[in-house]
């Protein structure tokens, strides 16, 4: 469970900031500390509370558009020591905290929460308009039993969208802490034996509420570029690439029409649980394709001792229907006739009768988990001679020499192997089906020929002009001599 406060605080001790640089983010938050300064809190103990506040503030991104901090001091009465709108810098805020003096009377905790709800979190005092992008957090520090009711007023504060953390010290009444705090209580209620050790909670906040930069930690599935935001991230692509509909993958040429056929090994060595992983892997790759009537079409063939077409090219022209059809594929569970499957791909899957489009790039993706029981060489060669772009993917006992024989050149970009079905997702990320629209070679040849003819004509004219000029000059000289 990740609390809204997790997205708002990164509480770092000064000496640990550099250790976690780049891994911790905060987001705009309105935080109000509500601190008990009743007579049971001795002056030296109140100083320790202020040190704790200062260290917490030190780890925040303080600013008008970032985290705003307020401080409410209470005993029998309530005093607004620092408004959310008062200090725009961390240094000014910490200096103001050091000047707070204890009130040294009773313990009206309910009254302080009501004050925070009505005043400290009001727009007049600098609180921002309620928004999903801005968290509102109250941190209450107390060491005694309240002299008024806290249950109802705390509920009203929580209903207003304020997340409440309750910190108890010494002989504090634990039941009232639980009445004040937000759920889950394990995350929102803290206890320390005395004020002398309250600073240890700073480290607890650091570990519990520092939001990781998911891009920096590598805990993301972006194919090319990861852009971090507090507690989250989004993917982007390098120049020249387009972000696909899945929000993760990038395509160099997403507008090209492509016919893609999966050739899937359904032999008994795969096993049912792994076959389900294979289906998920197929759908991962489908997520990266621009599936539509005019762009990518997908067909699916399963093979074992025989070959079975699950669905032909063009039957499903949206990702949802396509992925649903993949999920329904039943496991064949027999032998491994990869050569027979490749011949089916050549003779049937990419034929016009099975939905293949003329003039469209053809891509075959062959998956296997073991050695073929028949000869694959001729069929693998023929597929490439037909101009099909062939990918070969092997898992477990697949033979890498066979994979390389199936794969198009350069083989390093067209064959993949992993020992474990559970790591197939990494192959799905690496496998790039970037088909770019090639220029019509006929058009190119025509342009070249036309350009050559123009150049030849210009050269002929130039020679003729030079020749005519030279002849005219010689005739004029002869005429002068005769005269």
């Amino acid at each position: 469970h990740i609390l809204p406060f997790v997205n708002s605080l990164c509480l770092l001790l000064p000496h640990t900031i550099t250790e976690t640089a780049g891994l911790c983010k905060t987001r705009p938050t309105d935080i109000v500390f509500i601190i008990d300064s009743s007579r049971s809190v001795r002056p030296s103990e109140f100083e320790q509370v202020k040190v704790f506040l200062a260290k917490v503030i030190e780890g925040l991104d303080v600013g008008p558009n970032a985290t705003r901090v307020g401080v409410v001091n209470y005993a029998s009465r309530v005093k607004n020591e620092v408004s959310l709108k008062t200090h725009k810098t961390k240094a000014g805020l910490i200096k103001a905290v050091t000047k707070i003096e204890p009130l040294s009377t009773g313990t009206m905790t309910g009254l302080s929460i009501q004050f925070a709800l009505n005043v400290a979190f009001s727009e007049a005092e600098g609180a921002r308009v309620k928004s999903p992008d801005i968290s509102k957090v109250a941190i209450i520090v107390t060491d005694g039993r309240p002299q008024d009711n806290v249950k109802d007023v705390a509920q009203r504060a929580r209903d207003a969208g304020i997340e409440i953390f309750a910190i108890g010290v010494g002989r504090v009444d634990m039941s009232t802490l639980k009445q004040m705090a937000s759920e889950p209580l394990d995350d929102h209620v803290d206890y320390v034996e005395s004020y002398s050790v309250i600073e240890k909670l700073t480290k607890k906040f650091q570990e519990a509420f520092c939001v990781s930069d998911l891009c920096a930690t590598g805990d993301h599935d972006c194919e090319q570029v990861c852009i971090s935001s507090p507690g989250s991230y989004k993917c982007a692509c390098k120049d020249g690439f387009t972000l696909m509909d899945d929000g993760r993958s990038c395509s160099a040429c997403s507008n090209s029409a492509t016919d893609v056929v999966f050739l899937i090994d359904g032999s008994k060595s795969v096993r049912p649980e792994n076959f389900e992983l294979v289906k998920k892997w197929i759908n991962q790759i489908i997520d990266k394709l621009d599936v539509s009537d005019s762009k990518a079409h997908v067909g699916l063939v399963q093979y074992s001792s025989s070959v079975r077409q699950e669905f032909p090219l063009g039957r499903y022209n949206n990702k949802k229907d396509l992925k649903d059809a993949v999920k329904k594929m039943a496991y064949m569970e027999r032998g491994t006739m990869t050569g027979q499957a490749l011949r089916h791909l050549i003779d049937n899957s990419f034929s016009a009768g099975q939905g293949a489009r003329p003039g469209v790039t053809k891509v075959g993706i062959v998956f296997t988990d073991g050695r073929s029981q028949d000869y694959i060489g001729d069929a693998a060669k023929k597929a490439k001679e037909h101009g099909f772009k062939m990918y070969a993917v092997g898992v477990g006992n697949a033979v890498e020499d066979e994979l390389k024989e199936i794969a198009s050149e350069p083989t390093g970009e067209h064959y993949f192997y992993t020992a474990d079905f559970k790591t197939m997702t990494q192959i799905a990320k690496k496998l790039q089906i970037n088909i770019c629209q090639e220029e019509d070679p006929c058009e190119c040849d025509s342009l070249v020929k036309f350009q050559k003819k123009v150049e030849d004509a210009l050269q002929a004219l130039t020679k003729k002009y030079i020749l005519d000029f030279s002849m005219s000059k010689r005739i004029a000289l002869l005429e002068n001599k005769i005269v």
Side-chain angles (χ1 to χ4, degrees):
H1 177 74
I2 298 176
L3 306 167
F5 191 60
V6 172
N7 291 333
S8 64
L9 289 182
C10 173
L11 306 181
L12 302 175
L13 287 169
H15 67 276
T16 63
I17 289 174
T18 53
E19 294 172 16
T20 54
L23 302 181
C24 189
K25 296 287 181 182
T26 64
R27 71 169 185 169
T29 312
D30 291 343
I31 303 174
V32 173
F33 291 93
I34 303 173
I35 53 174
D36 177 357
S37 67
S38 57
R39 66 174 63 89
S40 60
V41 183
R42 294 192 291 271
S44 61
E45 293 173 332
F46 193 71
E47 289 302 311
Q48 289 166 334
V49 174
K50 292 194 291 182
V51 170
F52 167 67
L53 261 62
K55 289 196 173 184
V56 170
I57 292 167
E58 187 64 44
L60 300 175
D61 182 15
V62 175
N65 298 317
T67 298
R68 300 181 185 182
V69 178
V71 181
V72 170
N73 184 12
Y74 80 94
S76 295
R77 62 187 179 93
V78 181
K79 184 179 180 183
N80 199 25
E81 299 282 2
V82 178
S83 293
L84 290 168
K85 66 181 179 182
T86 307
H87 296 283
K88 297 177 174 59
T89 65
K90 195 179 296 186
L93 186 57
I94 292 173
K95 187 175 181 180
V97 167
T98 62
K99 294 181 178 179
I100 298 174
E101 296 293 333
L103 300 173
S104 300
T105 49
T107 312
M108 301 293 284
T109 310
L111 181 65
S112 70
I113 297 172
Q114 188 66 59
F115 180 88
L117 179 59
N118 294 345
V119 180
F121 280 109
S122 70
E123 289 182 46
E125 292 299 314
R128 283 164 283 194
V129 178
K130 189 176 180 181
S131 162
D133 298 325
I134 299 173
S135 299
K136 296 191 181 297
V137 176
I139 303 175
I140 302 172
V141 182
T142 182
D143 78 334
R145 183 185 295 273
Q147 295 172 339
D148 56 356
N149 180 278
V150 297
K151 184 177 180 180
D152 295 337
V153 67
Q155 184 61 57
R156 287 196 296 273
R158 294 194 299 268
D159 290 344
I162 299 170
E163 187 174 12
I164 301 177
F165 288 80
I167 299 173
V169 183
R171 296 182 181 180
V172 69
D173 179 42
M174 293 300 295
S175 64
T176 57
L177 291 182
K178 293 174 182 177
Q179 288 175 10
M180 293 187 289
S182 296
E183 293 285 350
L185 295 178
D186 286 347
D187 293 328
H188 290 84
V189 176
D190 289 290
Y191 173 79
V192 291
E193 301 82 1
S194 67
Y195 283 103
S196 63
V197 292
I198 195 170
E199 279 187 51
K200 73 178 183 181
L201 290 180
T202 308
K203 182 168 176 56
K204 189 246 181 186
F205 281 138
Q206 173 196 334
E207 293 173 349
F209 304 128
C210 179
V211 179
S212 292
D213 180 339
L214 299 179
C215 292
T217 59
D219 190 16
H220 65 85
D221 56 359
C222 295
E223 186 177 294
Q224 291 188 356
V225 179
C226 180
I227 301 170
S228 184
S229 58
S232 185
Y233 67 92
K234 64 179 181 179
C235 302
C237 299
K238 297 174 184 175
D239 290 343
F241 289 79
T242 304
L243 188 67
M244 302 299 285
D245 291 342
D246 64 2
R248 306 185 304 269
S249 313
C250 299
S251 173
C253 308
S254 61
N255 294 324
S256 299
T258 315
D259 285 345
V260 180
V261 174
F262 288 89
L263 209 59
I264 300 302
D265 180 356
S267 60
K268 60 179 175 288
S269 59
V270 174
R271 298 203 302 273
E273 65 273 18
N274 289 332
F275 194 70
E276 292 303 309
L277 294 176
V278 173
K279 290 194 282 187
K280 288 181 181 179
W281 173 78
I282 294 169
N283 281 340
Q284 272 188 288
I285 297 173
I286 288 171
D287 273 332
K288 298 169 74 171
L289 299 174
D290 195 357
V291 178
S292 71
D293 186 52
S294 60
K295 296 178 184 176
H297 285 192
V298 177
L300 179 61
V301 173
Q302 184 183 174
Y303 71 94
S304 57
S305 297
S306 60
V307 180
R308 183 174 75 202
Q309 178 177 269
E310 301 292 343
F311 53 82
L313 288 161
R315 176 173 291 178
Y316 306 106
N317 288 327
N318 65 77
K319 288 184 183 180
K320 183 184 182 303
D321 291 345
L322 196 54
K323 291 166 74 173
D324 286 344
V326 171
K327 290 174 186 176
K328 291 174 184 175
M329 178 170 57
Y331 178 33
M332 292 176 75
E333 202 170 357
R334 283 181 283 171
T336 312
M337 303 293 281
T338 312
Q340 184 182 348
L342 285 168
R343 288 191 292 274
H344 182 277
L345 183 80
I346 297 162
D347 299 336
N348 298 286
S349 300
F350 284 133
S351 67
Q354 295 299 316
R357 294 167 289 178
V360 169
T361 304
K362 308 291 188 291
V363 177
I365 303 176
V366 182
F367 165 81
T368 182
D369 86 321
R371 182 184 294 276
S372 177
Q373 294 172 342
D374 61 351
Y375 181 60
I376 68 166
D378 292 341
K381 183 180 179 184
K382 194 173 181 181
K384 287 177 278 191
E385 286 174 350
H386 276 60
F388 304 157
K389 188 172 185 179
M390 300 296 295
Y391 290 88
V393 178
V395 178
N397 294 320
V399 179
E400 290 197 59
D401 286 345
E402 286 187 358
L403 298 177
K404 292 176 182 178
E405 195 168 5
I406 294 168
S408 294
E409 294 288 344
T411 54
E413 295 176 11
H414 293 85
Y415 101 92
F416 303 88
Y417 173 81
T418 180
D420 189 351
F421 279 87
K422 292 177 183 177
T423 58
M424 288 179 69
T425 54
Q426 298 304 314
I427 291 177
K429 291 178 184 179
K430 293 176 185 175
L431 197 152
Q432 298 292 327
I433 308 175
N434 294 330
I435 307 299
C436 297
Q437 200 72 40
E438 295 182 2
E439 291 180 348
D440 185 339
C442 298
E443 290 182 11
C444 289
D445 287 345
S446 298
L447 286 170
V448 171
K449 287 175 183 175
F450 176 72
Q451 185 178 359
K452 185 76 167 57
K453 287 177 76 173
V454 170
E455 288 175 353
D456 290 345
L458 285 171
Q459 285 179 357
L461 285 170
T462 303
K463 286 179 182 177
K464 186 175 183 300
Y465 173 78
I466 293 170
L467 183 61
D468 288 349
F469 180 77
S470 178
M471 287 296 293
S472 299
K473 198 170 182 181
R474 288 174 68 185
I475 289 167
L477 289 169
L478 285 170
E479 286 176 346
N480 288 334
K481 285 181 180 179
I482 292 169
V483 172

